[in-house]
Amino acid sequence: MRGIAAARCGTDTPAIYAGTMCRFLAYMGEPIFLADLVCAPAHSLVHQAMHADEGKTPTNGDGFGLGWYAERPEPGLYREIRPAWSDENLRSLCEQVRSRLFFAHVRASTGTATTRANCHPFGHGQHMFMHNGQVGDYHRIKRRIEELIPDDLYGSRLGTGDTEAIFLAALADGLERDPVGAIGRTLARVLALMVAAGSRQPLRFAAAYSDGERLICFRWSSDARPPSLYWRQHQGNVIVVSEPVDARPEEWRAIAPNHVLIASRHAAAELRAFVVPQAEPQPA
Amino acid sequence: MRGIAAARCGTDTPAIYAGTMCRFLAYMGEPIFLADLVCAPAHSLVHQAMHADEGKTPTNGDGFGLGWYAERPEPGLYREIRPAWSDENLRSLCEQVRSRLFFAHVRASTGTATTRANCHPFGHGQHMFMHNGQVGDYHRIKRRIEELIPDDLYGSRLGTGDTEAIFLAALADGLERDPVGAIGRTLARVLALMVAAGSRQPLRFAAAYSDGERLICFRWSSDARPPSLYWRQHQGNVIVVSEPVDARPEEWRAIAPNHVLIASRHAAAELRAFVVPQAEPQPA
Amino acid sequence: MRGIAAARCGTDTPAIYAGTMCRFLAYMGEPIFLADLVCAPAHSLVHQAMHADEGKTPTNGDGFGLGWYAERPEPGLYREIRPAWSDENLRSLCEQVRSRLFFAHVRASTGTATTRANCHPFGHGQHMFMHNGQVGDYHRIKRRIEELIPDDLYGSRLGTGDTEAIFLAALADGLERDPVGAIGRTLARVLALMVAAGSRQPLRFAAAYSDGERLICFRWSSDARPPSLYWRQHQGNVIVVSEPVDARPEEWRAIAPNHVLIASRHAAAELRAFVVPQAEPQPA
Amino acid sequence: MRGIAAARCGTDTPAIYAGTMCRFLAYMGEPIFLADLVCAPAHSLVHQAMHADEGKTPTNGDGFGLGWYAERPEPGLYREIRPAWSDENLRSLCEQVRSRLFFAHVRASTGTATTRANCHPFGHGQHMFMHNGQVGDYHRIKRRIEELIPDDLYGSRLGTGDTEAIFLAALADGLERDPVGAIGRTLARVLALMVAAGSRQPLRFAAAYSDGERLICFRWSSDARPPSLYWRQHQGNVIVVSEPVDARPEEWRAIAPNHVLIASRHAAAELRAFVVPQAEPQPA
């Protein structure tokens, strides 16, 4: 009974995997109020927090986060543990803050504690990252994944989740100078750790990265079922979403599995195949 | 757009009604661990917080509460604004606390702020009360309902919701000496306020009251659709739930609409028709 | 023991008074980052949250709030129940948000629950208000004070504190067209309620009001001890603070007791005597 | 300015040290209500949360925790991030829960995030642990300290603080079978890591451990200033506190520096010198 109680109470879930099946959106373009995407549309991200259609879980009530670029190189972050749908501050911020590049994320935890430090997006200097997916058997390889973070970045590990660890590892793998290559290298190393641990779970990865100038969104999975990811471009404004935020599906294009969307303030968005290389052998 | 944003962000919902469509359970009998009902069963209340079947909303993530009688006349209360499914403290309490009479409630707000003071159950001295339903056009008559609370009880109004106001009004209407009559009188007065305000919304009312000795549960509505309410009695232990907490529907009986269940530590539970009288004329 | 326990646990304090002895600051002038006043100075408001020098309590850890005017007529609000000194979101917001007119407030409750809705500043449409002081025997006259709020504004009463009630009453008393007169009228009515209730407690009132164009700050008390309030003007930028935020006391002038500071975007700040008139007789 | 802002906003403090200067109490004896020690006394722990006399900081408002043994081998835990003085749940629990062995802790963070998972006491199976002190240059050796935790316990690392890491390392060092020796070994290893990192900061350690049968409290420091720790024994009931909880100092005895108090349900409390041995050489 105890195990069940634990599981039902959603605390230390004996989780088959411990990624987070969440929903997110990313925007880059002419400055708009966050509310225009986060709160207003019929199927806005805040609405998806309670009524997601394509996620593993319809409810994404384990915290949320906003990240936006304004006048500083570093993004602003607002992350909170209560559900997005009941957060007065979220609404006020979204109605006041106008940004040319922002992320929003609603979280559905599958085992990791609901703390601000575990909410997306994650920031490090000018870099911002968020993720939706799963790292198979994360609990078993958590420590190995954390070992991918070099000492000089380990102090920036404020939470306990898989996404933050992958983000910091990717920074060490060259995220700034070569985002697509760095994510590939990091995922390869994570995959190798899963294999080494005998995991039969998939590594599923939908993610968004920005340095304030570029928006790069990944859709990839080690099996045939990557998390959903859609995008739309209109007059140079790019929106990427886990699910369309309105009832005009024709305007949204799915990002093909194992592809990456690369957009920048100075060039049109393009899609490329995204390949995760064979892992380099891990240092013993 | 603003109104939509507001609604989507779930803060100041232009609510058609402002009751709370929640889920609850009440137990009276031999002392058991709260976890046995709140956490453990397949469709436990914590599970219903995310996956309610019969409620207006499948998600009850706007706070929750526990109330239990132990060694003092006053019940203990643990009320928290985060969702029940992610609350480590809830699980630990439920596994440690054993009680002969307890309430548990998961909340789905439709407009009132998510604060501890608005979470059920409510306590006043030895009295405890929780509710699931709606007061039609509550926002329009909130003030009138609060006027039903006499001065000597008004200081005990810590929140802003309809249930607490009805509870305090019922205390003034004689809840302690005549619970069934008092709730009838209070509902009659609330109904009269709704009518006076020209409301066409229903008054729907599933509620549980206890003084530590008796458990009294109401299922009533001014229209034909009272909130669901079930009960089970086994070896003198009485359980009342918004939804069966397990997959054995045959063991649960619905409390008929407009009926009240009366159980006490010293007598078998009985069901009676529950009638809301014509309202006495309100003092001007 | 119970009373003591209650008092010590800081919940239902048998409060001699129930104002909040808090600390605040208000700024109007060229747009600056909130962090420049809220976080950075040696004795910043965040620092005052833990180490106030002139308040009744050195600790102001019962929530805090930010309110700022940006592109909309309505101010943005960020109010949170955790202490200001440990809020990562507060820091990020203050570093990102630049405003020409903003309020910040750290709260020390003396009885009212710590909820977002009870945190300052309060907003209503384009109007913003915050307060530091006390309403003698508030708990005894809470209901009477709430009766000063007309029906059309009562729906905007989201919390349970004295300041919000005074703010809404002042709106009804003409806060928009005649801020100084309206506050005077409202305070007179509150004072009359205190007298009628036989209170021997003082009414102490340091407050700031803005409509986005004007900044009006009051320092008044019914006894000889109004809350501290200082101001500074430099190149047309006006700062008003409960306590100087830096170690340059010579640059700060105390606002004289029973005076009001009136500043606007289009005129230099001026100080006037502030008189609370005799109360108009209350409606029975 | 940024560094200052950070420090003032109390988030990522460039902490000289990152222990937590907190206050705690531990009780073992005849079952009593937690409120009798946590809430009621004139200088109760809840009072110390805002007005500590002997701590580095007078304010301990960065979360708190309760841990108590009841009917299960595992202790119950209630940990919350808001200050103890404003937590209604804390008061209700303390008034309802009676225990023969419990811990209570109020936290003052010096850099680690305020999350439930970082609040004391920490539990693991039947074991409970809490701490007040500092690990010099923790941020620099955090990773090294975490390496003291074996894989089979690493999954139980839910927070990011020093105390939890030391607790888990001590479990690996034999805390269950030889508590005093295990803590000595673990502190020796931590000290060696500090030395290896060139830290000139002290390791200060006041802590309490229990397995439900024994209460063992340590007072030790690598310099001459261990955190304060007092105890009292009356009719077989043992109380250990960071500061006396009442105004009867004559009834309290200081635990001498570098001593350990050992009490059990079956034997009188005794004091022994506590020595931290030379560290065993670390594995490379």
Side-chain angles (χ1 to χ4, degrees):
Chain A
M1 183 216 97
R2 206 134 183 290
I4 294 172
R8 287 291 176 279
C9 282
T11 49
D12 55 3
T13 315
I16 304 164
Y17 62 87
T20 52
M21 288 310 296
C22 313
R23 306 282 85 183
F24 67 64
L25 72 78
Y27 173 85
M28 182 172 69
E30 60 183 332
I32 62 171
F33 286 111
L34 276 51
D36 295 345
L37 288 177
V38 177
C39 302
H43 194 52
S44 72
L45 195 72
V46 169
H47 184 256
Q48 290 177 36
M50 200 182 277
H51 305 289
D53 293 330
E54 302 186 25
K56 273 199 170 185
T57 61
T59 308
N60 295 275
D62 301 325
F64 67 88
L66 295 175
W68 69 97
Y69 291 94
E71 296 182 59
R72 296 184 188 269
E74 306 82 21
L77 291 179
Y78 173 60
R79 304 187 295 178
E80 179 44 39
I81 59 177
R82 63 176 74 187
W85 61 77
S86 66
D87 192 77
E88 312 89 341
N89 292 326
L90 170 64
R91 178 193 158 204
S92 189
L93 276 177
C94 288
E95 290 184 344
Q96 294 292 333
V97 173
R98 190 195 286 272
S99 172
R100 59 177 170 78
L101 205 172
F102 62 88
F103 288 4
H105 186 281
V106 291
R107 181 170 176 270
S109 171
T110 57
T112 313
T114 297
T115 66
R116 286 178 172 180
N118 284 341
C119 288
H120 309 221
F122 298 90
H124 187 270
Q126 76 199 63
H127 308 284
M128 184 159 66
F129 185 75
M130 66 181 168
H131 167 236
N132 153 24
Q134 70 185 77
V135 175
D137 295 304
Y138 172 64
H139 281 324
R140 284 167 51 201
I141 60 169
K142 175 174 184 288
R143 182 170 219 166
R144 300 285 93 76
I145 292 178
E146 289 172 336
E147 288 166 354
L148 301 180
I149 308 170
D151 281 0
D152 61 332
L153 286 171
Y154 194 72
S156 302
R157 168 78 156 160
L158 302 178
T160 59
D162 52 353
T163 301
E164 183 191 38
I166 289 173
F167 175 41
L168 294 171
L171 282 165
D173 275 326
L175 188 60
E176 180 162 10
R177 66 174 194 283
D178 172 21
V180 177
I183 292 293
R185 284 184 289 276
T186 300
L187 292 187
R189 295 163 75 187
V190 171
L191 209 49
L193 294 174
M194 289 169 58
V195 170
S199 173
R200 293 182 171 161
Q201 296 293 323
L203 171 56
R204 293 177 181 154
F205 186 79
Y209 161 74
S210 181
D211 57 4
E213 296 298 315
R214 299 169 292 180
L215 170 63
I216 302 179
C217 300
F218 302 83
R219 186 182 183 212
W220 183 86
S221 182
S222 66
D223 66 2
R225 292 157 51 200
S228 62
L229 201 59
Y230 298 83
W231 74 297
R232 184 168 75 186
Q233 186 165 30
H234 179 62
Q235 296 176 338
N237 303 325
V238 176
I239 312 177
V240 179
V241 294
S242 300
E243 300 181 12
V245 295
D246 55 35
R248 299 191 295 276
E250 70 283 1
E251 297 187 7
W252 297 91
R253 279 168 289 172
I255 293 177
N258 305 334
H259 275 65
V260 56
L261 176 86
I262 302 171
S264 88
R265 301 176 64 185
H266 316 296
E270 60 172 310
L271 283 162
R272 293 188 200 159
F274 174 67
V275 178
V276 172
Q278 282 302 308
E280 301 136 14
Q282 299 295 320
Chain B
M1 183 216 96
R2 201 130 189 294
I4 295 173
R8 286 293 175 276
C9 282
T11 49
D12 54 6
T13 314
I16 304 164
Y17 62 88
T20 52
M21 288 310 295
C22 314
R23 305 282 85 183
F24 68 63
L25 72 78
Y27 173 85
M28 182 172 70
E30 61 184 331
I32 62 171
F33 286 110
L34 275 51
D36 295 345
L37 288 177
V38 177
C39 302
H43 193 51
S44 72
L45 195 72
V46 169
H47 185 254
Q48 289 178 36
M50 200 183 276
H51 304 289
D53 294 330
E54 301 186 27
K56 274 199 169 185
T57 61
T59 308
N60 296 275
D62 301 324
F64 67 88
L66 295 175
W68 69 97
Y69 291 94
E71 297 182 58
R72 297 184 188 268
E74 305 82 21
L77 291 179
Y78 173 60
R79 304 187 294 178
E80 179 46 36
I81 58 178
R82 63 176 74 187
W85 62 76
S86 66
D87 193 79
E88 311 88 342
N89 292 325
L90 171 64
R91 178 196 159 201
S92 190
L93 276 177
C94 287
E95 290 184 344
Q96 295 291 333
V97 174
R98 190 196 287 273
S99 173
R100 58 177 172 78
L101 207 173
F102 62 87
F103 288 3
H105 186 281
V106 292
R107 181 171 176 269
S109 172
T110 57
T112 313
T114 297
T115 66
R116 286 178 173 181
N118 285 340
C119 288
H120 308 223
F122 298 90
H124 187 270
Q126 75 199 63
H127 308 284
M128 184 159 67
F129 185 75
M130 65 181 168
H131 167 236
N132 154 22
Q134 69 184 77
V135 174
D137 294 304
Y138 172 64
H139 282 323
R140 283 168 52 200
I141 60 170
K142 175 173 184 287
R143 181 171 219 165
R144 299 284 93 77
I145 292 177
E146 289 172 336
E147 288 165 354
L148 301 179
I149 307 169
D151 281 359
D152 62 333
L153 286 170
Y154 194 72
S156 302
R157 167 79 155 159
L158 301 178
T160 59
D162 52 354
T163 302
E164 183 191 40
I166 289 173
F167 175 40
L168 294 171
L171 282 166
D173 275 326
L175 188 61
E176 179 162 12
R177 65 173 193 286
D178 172 21
V180 178
I183 292 293
R185 285 185 288 277
T186 300
L187 292 187
R189 295 162 75 187
V190 171
L191 209 49
L193 294 174
M194 289 169 57
V195 170
S199 172
R200 294 184 171 159
Q201 296 293 324
L203 172 56
R204 292 178 181 155
F205 186 79
Y209 161 75
S210 181
D211 57 4
E213 296 298 314
R214 299 168 292 179
L215 171 62
I216 302 179
C217 299
F218 302 84
R219 186 181 182 211
W220 183 85
S221 181
S222 66
D223 67 1
R225 293 157 49 200
S228 63
L229 201 60
Y230 299 83
W231 74 296
R232 184 169 73 186
Q233 186 164 30
H234 179 62
Q235 295 176 340
N237 303 324
V238 176
I239 313 176
V240 179
V241 293
S242 299
E243 301 181 12
V245 295
D246 55 35
R248 299 191 296 274
E250 69 283 2
E251 296 186 9
W252 297 91
R253 281 167 287 172
I255 293 177
N258 305 335
H259 276 64
V260 56
L261 176 87
I262 302 172
S264 88
R265 300 176 64 186
H266 315 296
E270 60 171 309
L271 283 162
R272 294 188 199 156
F274 174 66
V275 179
V276 171
Q278 283 300 311
E280 300 137 16
Q282 299 295 321
Chain C
M1 183 217 97
R2 197 124 194 301
I4 296 172
R8 286 293 175 279
C9 282
T11 49
D12 53 5
T13 314
I16 304 164
Y17 62 87
T20 51
M21 288 309 297
C22 313
R23 307 280 84 184
F24 67 64
L25 71 77
Y27 172 84
M28 182 172 70
E30 61 184 330
I32 62 172
F33 286 110
L34 275 51
D36 296 344
L37 289 176
V38 177
C39 303
H43 193 52
S44 73
L45 196 72
V46 169
H47 184 254
Q48 290 177 36
M50 200 182 275
H51 304 290
D53 294 330
E54 302 186 25
K56 273 200 169 186
T57 61
T59 308
N60 295 275
D62 302 324
F64 66 88
L66 295 175
W68 69 96
Y69 291 94
E71 296 182 58
R72 296 183 189 268
E74 305 82 21
L77 291 179
Y78 173 60
R79 305 187 294 179
E80 179 46 38
I81 60 178
R82 63 176 74 189
W85 61 75
S86 66
D87 192 78
E88 311 89 341
N89 292 326
L90 171 63
R91 179 195 159 203
S92 189
L93 276 177
C94 288
E95 290 184 345
Q96 294 291 333
V97 173
R98 190 196 287 272
S99 173
R100 58 177 171 78
L101 205 172
F102 62 87
F103 288 4
H105 186 281
V106 290
R107 181 171 176 268
S109 171
T110 56
T112 313
T114 298
T115 65
R116 286 178 173 181
N118 285 341
C119 289
H120 308 222
F122 298 90
H124 186 270
Q126 75 198 65
H127 308 284
M128 185 158 67
F129 185 75
M130 64 181 170
H131 166 237
N132 153 23
Q134 69 185 78
V135 175
D137 294 303
Y138 172 64
H139 281 324
R140 283 167 52 200
I141 60 169
K142 175 173 184 290
R143 181 170 220 166
R144 301 284 94 76
I145 292 177
E146 289 172 338
E147 288 165 355
L148 301 180
I149 307 169
D151 281 359
D152 63 332
L153 286 171
Y154 194 72
S156 301
R157 167 78 155 160
L158 301 178
T160 59
D162 51 354
T163 301
E164 184 191 39
I166 289 173
F167 174 41
L168 294 171
L171 282 166
D173 276 325
L175 188 60
E176 180 162 11
R177 64 173 195 285
D178 173 22
V180 176
I183 292 293
R185 285 185 289 275
T186 301
L187 292 186
R189 294 163 75 187
V190 171
L191 208 50
L193 294 174
M194 289 169 59
V195 170
S199 172
R200 293 184 172 158
Q201 295 293 323
L203 171 56
R204 294 178 180 153
F205 186 79
Y209 162 75
S210 181
D211 57 5
E213 296 297 315
R214 298 169 292 180
L215 171 62
I216 302 180
C217 300
F218 301 83
R219 186 182 182 211
W220 183 85
S221 182
S222 66
D223 67 0
R225 292 158 48 201
S228 62
L229 201 60
Y230 299 83
W231 74 295
R232 183 168 74 185
Q233 186 164 28
H234 178 62
Q235 296 176 339
N237 303 325
V238 177
I239 312 176
V240 179
V241 294
S242 300
E243 300 182 11
V245 295
D246 56 36
R248 298 191 295 276
E250 69 283 2
E251 296 187 8
W252 297 91
R253 280 168 288 171
I255 292 178
N258 305 335
H259 275 65
V260 55
L261 176 87
I262 301 171
S264 89
R265 300 176 64 185
H266 315 296
E270 60 171 310
L271 283 162
R272 293 188 201 157
F274 173 67
V275 178
V276 171
Q278 282 302 309
E280 301 136 16
Q282 298 297 319
Chain D
M1 184 216 96
R2 198 125 192 298
I4 295 173
R8 287 291 176 275
C9 282
T11 49
D12 53 5
T13 314
I16 304 164
Y17 61 87
T20 52
M21 287 310 296
C22 314
R23 306 281 85 184
F24 67 64
L25 72 77
Y27 172 85
M28 183 171 70
E30 61 184 331
I32 62 172
F33 286 110
L34 276 50
D36 295 345
L37 288 177
V38 177
C39 302
H43 193 52
S44 72
L45 196 72
V46 170
H47 185 254
Q48 290 177 37
M50 200 182 276
H51 305 289
D53 294 329
E54 303 187 26
K56 274 199 170 186
T57 61
T59 309
N60 295 276
D62 301 324
F64 67 88
L66 295 175
W68 69 97
Y69 291 94
E71 297 182 58
R72 296 184 189 267
E74 306 82 20
L77 292 179
Y78 173 60
R79 304 188 294 178
E80 179 44 39
I81 58 178
R82 62 176 74 188
W85 61 76
S86 66
D87 192 79
E88 312 88 342
N89 292 327
L90 171 63
R91 179 196 158 202
S92 189
L93 275 177
C94 287
E95 291 184 344
Q96 295 290 333
V97 174
R98 189 196 287 272
S99 173
R100 60 178 170 78
L101 206 173
F102 61 88
F103 288 4
H105 186 281
V106 291
R107 181 171 176 268
S109 171
T110 57
T112 312
T114 298
T115 66
R116 286 177 172 181
N118 284 342
C119 288
H120 308 221
F122 298 90
H124 187 270
Q126 75 199 63
H127 307 283
M128 185 159 67
F129 185 75
M130 65 181 170
H131 167 236
N132 154 22
Q134 69 185 77
V135 174
D137 295 304
Y138 172 64
H139 281 325
R140 284 167 51 199
I141 60 169
K142 174 173 184 288
R143 181 171 220 166
R144 300 286 92 76
I145 291 177
E146 289 172 336
E147 287 166 355
L148 301 179
I149 307 169
D151 281 359
D152 62 333
L153 287 171
Y154 195 72
S156 302
R157 168 77 156 159
L158 301 178
T160 59
D162 51 355
T163 302
E164 184 191 38
I166 289 172
F167 175 41
L168 295 172
L171 282 166
D173 275 326
L175 189 61
E176 180 161 11
R177 65 173 194 285
D178 172 21
V180 176
I183 291 293
R185 285 185 288 276
T186 301
L187 293 186
R189 295 163 75 188
V190 171
L191 209 49
L193 294 175
M194 289 169 57
V195 170
S199 173
R200 294 185 171 155
Q201 295 293 323
L203 171 55
R204 293 177 181 154
F205 186 78
Y209 162 74
S210 181
D211 57 5
E213 296 298 314
R214 299 168 293 180
L215 171 62
I216 303 179
C217 300
F218 302 83
R219 185 182 183 212
W220 183 86
S221 182
S222 67
D223 66 2
R225 292 159 46 203
S228 62
L229 201 61
Y230 298 83
W231 74 296
R232 183 169 75 185
Q233 186 164 29
H234 178 62
Q235 295 176 339
N237 303 325
V238 177
I239 312 176
V240 179
V241 294
S242 299
E243 300 181 11
V245 294
D246 55 35
R248 299 190 295 277
E250 69 283 1
E251 297 187 7
W252 297 92
R253 280 167 290 172
I255 293 177
N258 305 334
H259 276 65
V260 56
L261 176 87
I262 301 172
S264 89
R265 300 175 64 185
H266 315 297
E270 60 171 309
L271 283 161
R272 293 188 200 157
F274 174 66
V275 179
V276 172
Q278 282 303 309
E280 301 135 16
Q282 298 297 319

